[in-house]
Amino acid sequence: MNFKFILKFFVFLISVGGISQSKYTVTGLISDDNSKGIPYVNVLLIKASDSTLIKGTISTDKGTYKIENIPSDNYLIMSSYVGYKTTYSNSFYLDSDYKVETLMLSEGEQLNEVFVEARKPLYQQKVDRMVINVENSIVSAGGTALEVLERSPGVNVNRQSNSISIVGKEGVVVMINDKISYMPASSLVQMLEGMSADNISSIELITTPPSNFDAEGNAGYINIVLKKRTDLGLNGSYSISGGYGQGVTNNNNLNFNFRKKSVNLYGSYGYSIDNRDQIFKTSRQYEDNGDLLTSSTITDRDPRQRNHNLRLGLDVNTSDKTIMGVLVSAFDNRWSMDAINNSIDTENGTPTSYVILDNNEINHLKHFGINYNVKHNFTENKFLSFDIDYLKYKFDNPTNYENSFYDENNNFDRTELLRSGKKTPIKTWVSKLDYSNKVNDKIKIEAGVKGTKSNFENDVNVDDFENNVWVSDATLTNKSDLDEKIYAAYSALEYKFNDKTSLKAGVRYEHTDSKLDTDTQGTVVDRNYGIWFPSVFLNRKINDSLSLNLSYSKRITRPTFNDLAPFVIFFDPNTFLSGNASLQPAISNAFKFDVNIKSYFLSFQYTVEDSSIANFQERIDEATGRLIFEAANLDYTKTFGITLGVPIKLTNWWRTQNNLTFIKQKVRVFYNDEPIELSLGNFSANSTHSFKISDSFSAELSGFYNGPGFFGSAKYDEVYGINLGLQKKFSDKWGTLKFSISDILDSIEFNGGTDLPEQNIKTNNTFDFFNRTFSLSYSRNFGNTKLKSSRNRETGSEEERQRVN
């Protein structure tokens, strides 16, 4: 794809669009008898001559409104709200931007409540992100946040390496309610597995973030927006669900909001259990002095996951312009597993030994975080916000192994005992100051500074039981200490040329000082570097149906804490997963061009990433013969992607959303200091069909297909799956009942490996984390439903939570 041609084409369209008729903006204020703005008032722009409706909107939480892209003519404004008398403005002729006189609403006849329900589409393409409206998905009921991500367009979740990628790119930063989750990738996946989809409002995929976002994350951001109650008084919702799929699952959630005068108390609590079985298969073969040696392992895993998740916040309006708040978050996630690993070694096809490895593992993660925030609004369009966060994580990962060895005839030989452990307390402080000022209708400026300080102590032990005494394995036992400081500053300018064309440009500077000391090797990481990260966004609205977006962003992916502080997990005595303290940060330059036609979208992306970090890469230690899975730097990754979204309304009762993605990826890796180049095209698709059977009964059928793709130097086969959901809505008093079947064909598993003949390595792996699961979910709202907006709360620690490892 010729990028210069795209740019020229884009400029040409801007030039053509600029010839169209001039259009203007209408603004105003709706207030009560006390001159206080009224939120959520219906505001209609109508022709003065024949009362034809031109456009409509609702007022903001301050009572203001704006209606854009209006041609010259005679108009008037009509405002209406339940319980108030309808009010009209004076008529006016529009030949420039116009501010309507303040309209005052007075209370009128009290009307019975009227509910108007509008259903958002499952997928919405916005200027800088794709929004997946999870709360409208029936098949997501009773599922988890991780399962929803796995069905999202362009998103790939690799559970064996605990990694998430977007459009073939690693380095995704996950946010919860605009807060980055600074935790290890493995723990993040575990947390998302324990987060019920019933408590999620939407998921936002942000592939080219602006400069006010941290530069961390080559692939961009995934923002999971939890449900919020925005009403007066006490209100909220709860859901309970249970399921079975070769093991029991259970998800329960409660969220609430209490608002009275200047005080708002809100929170949520979730509890989940997942006891579904899993199957792993790993094998490798290599030549040694002309002999073909193989080692194969089948692992029958019986995992049990139990998660508690809590969020509790308090906001207080100290004045009309100032709000202060405290937000506490905590979780206690315990994952345990009993597993039987059956291994066989062969030489030239003949068995030489058998091993049965019986292991039990516990992965216990505890987190506590507190945020203090104060925000002062100088005017409606100008504010200053300050955040300070403290985050604490505690990891405990003990594992016990009992290895029973048998000879080539399967006769018992001996038993060996092995144990490993990992304890990692992590502490992070974050402070952040942001300033935003919309100078006028054309110019908006943003600026901010941020400081982060992180420290962890990592203690990894591996012990063999010899002569009735536990003896430490010096090659795998390690103690390490990390101190890291990141300082950042950014500025951005948003300029609106006219009602159709806008530009946002910004730059961010980040300075990193990182030092990792170990008791075995001394200082293994000592980095001090600063990098500039520019970003540019250009938007052109051709007409009400067609808009174009062009963007560029430079990003960084730093090694996670877990990778820098090694850990050890054994699959068998000679195969294990470990960290890699020598990892370097990866830098990417991403270009994106979007075309939005009504609800259709077409997106082109091209990214060049140097020193890409790929997890779960295979390496054979020549000294010990062990097969080691670890994160490693590639030389580079070049990714070109095309995403097409096609919503179709087949009938009044049948709607479908179809997303198609093609990725062409080229990677260059070094194995034993030899360069290897690999290239592959990958196609993926997902389709969601919604059926309205009656006003209270609906159904949803969804399916996806991911073609063969790269995972670093490893290649994995295609994956596909089908899901079904049914929903019955009762009255408001009785709530909603949902039934779903996920992975109907029991087809979702990951198969693949590495085949490098020149490097004498060939592996083949199967990871089956899924099985067909039947779920039943019940949810219900409670409390007051008189609308009042709540605060959109953000903190300064979003980026730090992602890297806790």
Side-chain angles (χ1 to χ4, degrees):
M1 176 63 65
N2 191 317
F3 181 75
K4 291 184 178 179
F5 172 78
I6 293 177
L7 181 59
K8 290 179 180 178
F9 176 69
F10 188 85
V11 173
F12 169 74
L13 290 177
I14 292 177
S15 302
V16 173
I19 303 175
S20 61
Q21 178 187 6
S22 297
K23 294 187 179 182
Y24 308 103
T25 299
V26 176
T27 59
L29 170 69
I30 310 295
S31 72
D32 58 17
D33 295 335
N34 298 318
S35 299
K36 185 176 181 180
I38 305 177
Y40 309 118
V41 176
N42 295 310
V43 181
L44 304 180
L45 178 73
I46 58 179
K47 274 191 177 183
S49 58
D50 56 7
S51 297
T52 301
L53 174 63
I54 304 301
K55 273 191 176 183
T57 185
I58 60 173
S59 61
T60 67
D61 56 356
K62 296 182 181 296
T64 60
Y65 62 87
K66 178 188 288 188
I67 304 176
E68 300 177 301
N69 299 321
I70 309 301
S72 295
D73 210 329
N74 287 297
Y75 301 102
L76 55 86
I77 290 290
M78 183 183 81
S79 60
S80 64
Y81 193 61
V82 174
Y84 291 83
K85 293 180 181 179
T86 299
T87 303
Y88 295 86
S89 73
N90 297 321
S91 64
F92 55 88
Y93 182 76
L94 192 66
D95 58 1
S96 63
D97 292 345
Y98 185 80
K99 185 174 182 179
V100 180
E101 71 272 15
T102 299
L103 299 180
M104 290 190 179
L105 298 186
S106 58
E107 293 189 12
E109 180 182 358
Q110 182 66 41
L111 302 177
N112 293 328
E113 283 187 299
V114 177
F115 291 94
V116 179
E117 183 180 54
R119 183 180 177 88
K120 295 179 182 178
L122 182 59
Y123 299 99
Q124 288 180 295
Q125 179 68 47
K126 295 188 175 182
V127 173
D128 61 347
R129 67 195 64 189
M130 174 182 284
V131 180
I132 305 164
N133 293 302
V134 178
E135 58 186 340
N136 290 331
S137 174
I138 302 173
V139 299
S140 298
T144 68
L146 193 67
E147 291 170 340
V148 174
L149 276 179
E150 287 168 322
R151 294 194 290 267
S152 301
V155 177
N156 179 44
V157 177
N158 195 311
R159 296 200 185 208
Q160 71 267 27
S161 65
N162 294 312
S163 65
I164 302 172
S165 64
I166 303 180
V167 196
K169 295 186 290 183
E170 297 278 334
V172 173
V173 176
V174 175
M175 299 192 296
I176 310 294
N177 279 356
D178 301 307
K179 296 179 175 40
I180 288 182
S181 183
Y182 291 102
M183 67 176 64
S186 58
S187 301
L188 179 62
V189 169
Q190 180 183 345
M191 184 194 71
L192 294 176
E193 278 187 301
M195 180 182 292
S196 172
D198 296 331
N199 198 33
I200 298 175
S201 173
S202 62
I203 293 178
E204 301 174 344
L205 308 181
I206 310 169
T207 52
T208 50
S211 60
N212 58 312
F213 282 73
D214 275 25
E216 178 72 26
N218 283 334
Y221 285 72
I222 296 176
N223 186 27
I224 299 174
V225 182
L226 302 180
K227 291 180 179 178
K228 296 181 181 179
R229 302 300 305 181
T230 59
D231 311 332
L232 283 169
L234 175 65
N235 49 76
S237 66
Y238 67 85
S239 66
I240 55 176
S241 67
Y244 184 83
Q246 296 184 26
V248 175
T249 67
N250 174 252
N251 272 303
N252 305 290
N253 293 275
L254 170 70
N255 65 78
F256 74 93
N257 191 92
F258 177 75
R259 178 185 289 274
K260 188 174 182 179
K261 295 183 179 179
S262 61
V263 176
N264 185 48
L265 177 67
Y266 59 95
S268 64
Y269 169 73
Y271 174 74
S272 65
I273 296 174
D274 190 345
N275 293 339
R276 288 176 289 182
D277 295 343
Q278 301 171 350
I279 297 292
F280 285 8
K281 299 177 183 178
T282 61
S283 69
R284 62 173 173 133
Q285 68 178 45
Y286 59 97
E287 291 188 1
D288 184 19
N289 295 324
D291 294 318
L292 182 63
L293 306 180
T294 66
S295 179
S296 304
T297 301
I298 298 177
T299 302
D300 187 354
R301 295 159 56 101
D302 181 17
R304 295 173 297 280
Q305 183 167 336
R306 183 272 300 149
N307 293 345
H308 296 276
N309 288 277
L310 175 69
R311 291 169 55 85
L312 189 63
L314 175 67
D315 286 335
V316 179
N317 288 88
T318 58
S319 70
D320 290 339
K321 293 186 176 182
T322 305
I323 184 171
M324 293 191 300
V326 176
L327 177 63
V328 175
S329 62
F331 58 74
D332 186 327
N333 297 346
R334 189 181 190 276
W335 182 88
S336 61
M337 179 193 68
D338 293 323
I340 300 294
N341 307 268
N342 290 277
S343 299
I344 178 175
D345 293 336
T346 68
E347 182 177 326
N348 299 320
T350 302
T352 57
S353 66
Y354 298 86
V355 179
I356 298 178
L357 188 153
D358 186 354
N359 76 287
N360 59 78
E361 178 181 356
I362 295 175
N363 196 328
H364 198 176
L365 169 60
K366 296 181 180 180
H367 160 67
F368 172 80
I370 186 168
N371 161 263
Y372 170 76
N373 168 267
V374 58
K375 183 179 181 182
H376 180 75
N377 295 291
F378 299 97
T379 65
E380 181 181 352
N381 299 313
K382 180 180 178 181
F383 71 83
L384 185 67
S385 177
F386 172 73
D387 285 87
I388 185 167
D389 290 76
Y390 172 71
L391 308 171
K392 183 177 181 179
Y393 296 88
K394 185 178 180 181
F395 301 87
D396 191 6
N397 182 207
T399 307
N400 297 299
Y401 305 88
E402 181 180 293
N403 305 323
S404 299
F405 293 85
Y406 299 81
D407 64 16
E408 68 274 11
N409 297 314
N410 216 2
N411 296 316
F412 177 75
D413 180 23
R414 69 188 187 281
T415 296
E416 294 181 357
L417 300 180
L418 176 70
R419 69 183 184 187
S420 67
K422 176 180 183 291
K423 293 184 177 181
T424 313
I426 304 175
K427 298 177 182 178
T428 298
W429 285 93
V430 185
S431 58
K432 177 171 172 276
L433 184 68
D434 294 290
Y435 172 78
S436 177
N437 183 13
K438 187 176 181 181
V439 180
N440 52 45
D441 289 340
K442 291 183 176 294
I443 299 175
K444 179 181 178 181
I445 58 175
E446 295 176 333
V449 293
K450 180 178 179 180
T452 303
K453 184 180 185 337
S454 299
N455 170 265
F456 75 69
E457 297 174 355
N458 190 69
D459 189 353
V460 176
N461 68 281
V462 177
D463 304 319
D464 296 300
F465 194 68
E466 299 177 0
N467 300 320
N468 296 320
V469 177
W470 287 106
V471 179
S472 176
D473 185 336
T475 64
L476 298 175
T477 297
N478 181 282
K479 290 183 179 181
S480 55
D481 183 275
L482 175 81
D483 282 299
E484 183 178 76
K485 294 181 285 292
I486 301 175
Y487 303 104
Y490 75 89
S491 63
L493 173 67
E494 190 171 340
Y495 184 75
K496 190 175 182 180
F497 294 95
N498 50 51
D499 289 339
K500 290 190 173 183
T501 307
S502 61
L503 172 72
K504 183 174 183 178
V507 64
R508 185 181 188 91
Y509 178 79
E510 292 191 357
H511 184 87
T512 303
D513 185 358
S514 183
K515 186 176 181 180
L516 176 67
D517 294 316
T518 69
D519 62 343
T520 56
Q521 298 174 278
T523 300
V524 294
V525 174
D526 191 358
R527 299 177 186 141
N528 195 314
Y529 58 91
I531 303 178
W532 293 92
F533 298 94
S535 61
V536 181
F537 301 83
L538 184 62
N539 173 256
R540 174 66 178 175
K541 185 175 181 180
I542 305 301
N543 52 48
D544 289 341
S545 300
L546 174 63
S547 64
L548 307 174
N549 305 296
L550 183 65
S551 64
Y552 161 76
S553 181
K554 184 177 180 179
R555 314 291 301 163
I556 185 174
T557 296
R558 297 179 179 89
T560 65
F561 294 152
N562 197 48
D563 290 328
L564 292 176
F567 59 95
V568 178
I569 297 176
F570 284 88
F571 295 113
D572 62 50
N574 293 306
T575 306
F576 61 84
L577 178 66
S578 180
N580 182 0
S582 64
L583 281 175
Q584 299 292 321
I587 303 292
S588 70
N589 291 275
F591 303 86
K592 191 166 181 278
F593 177 65
D594 299 320
V595 180
N596 298 284
I597 305 174
K598 293 184 177 179
S599 54
Y600 302 89
F601 61 87
L602 176 64
S603 177
F604 301 88
Q605 296 187 50
Y606 180 70
T607 304
V608 179
E609 183 179 43
D610 295 320
S611 300
S612 309
I613 299 175
N615 293 298
F616 219 71
Q617 299 305 290
E618 299 154 352
R619 174 176 64 87
I620 293 180
D621 187 337
E622 296 182 356
T624 62
R626 288 167 168 164
L627 174 61
I628 303 171
F629 291 91
E630 64 182 7
N633 285 111
L634 312 181
D635 185 21
Y636 64 75
T637 302
K638 297 180 179 180
T639 305
F640 172 73
I642 303 176
T643 301
L644 174 65
V646 183
I648 302 174
K649 182 180 178 181
L650 299 174
T651 67
N652 289 331
W653 52 270
W654 183 3
R655 296 172 181 265
T656 177
Q657 173 72 44
N658 306 281
N659 298 303
L660 310 174
T661 301
F662 174 76
I663 300 172
K664 180 68 174 180
Q665 196 168 65
K666 182 177 181 180
V667 299
R668 178 183 167 98
V669 302
F670 283 95
Y671 195 88
N672 292 337
D673 297 326
E674 292 293 328
I676 300 170
E677 289 191 356
L678 305 169
S679 181
L680 181 68
N682 169 267
F683 172 77
S684 64
N686 62 51
S687 181
T688 301
H689 299 256
S690 301
F691 306 93
K692 184 177 181 181
I693 301 172
S694 69
D695 288 341
S696 62
F697 190 55
S698 57
E700 184 175 299
L701 179 68
S702 67
F704 75 92
Y705 170 84
N706 289 329
F710 281 132
F711 190 64
S713 61
K715 178 182 177 182
Y716 278 80
D717 300 336
E718 66 274 1
V719 180
Y720 60 91
I722 297 177
N723 310 284
L724 173 67
L726 303 172
Q727 174 178 279
K728 172 64 177 178
K729 285 188 175 181
F730 303 101
S731 64
D732 290 335
K733 182 178 179 181
W734 295 106
T736 301
L737 186 67
K738 299 178 182 179
F739 172 74
S740 63
I741 309 174
S742 61
D743 195 11
I744 293 176
L745 304 179
D746 198 16
S747 56
I748 304 177
E749 65 178 28
F750 300 94
N751 296 287
T754 301
D755 188 4
L756 303 174
E758 299 84 359
Q759 308 300 329
N760 192 24
I761 180 172
K762 182 176 183 180
T763 65
N764 188 52
N765 310 305
T766 296
F767 301 97
D768 188 358
F769 294 93
F770 302 89
N771 43 66
R772 186 186 301 110
T773 302
F774 301 84
S775 299
L776 187 65
S777 174
Y778 174 76
S779 61
R780 182 173 178 265
N781 295 330
F782 61 85
N784 200 341
T785 58
K786 293 181 180 179
L787 291 176
K788 176 71 175 180
S789 66
S790 68
R791 183 184 182 199
N792 182 20
R793 183 66 185 278
E794 300 179 4
T795 76
S797 64
E798 284 81 9
E799 290 75 20
E800 282 64 41
R801 299 173 187 265
Q802 178 69 17
R803 292 187 60 236
V804 175
N805 218 323

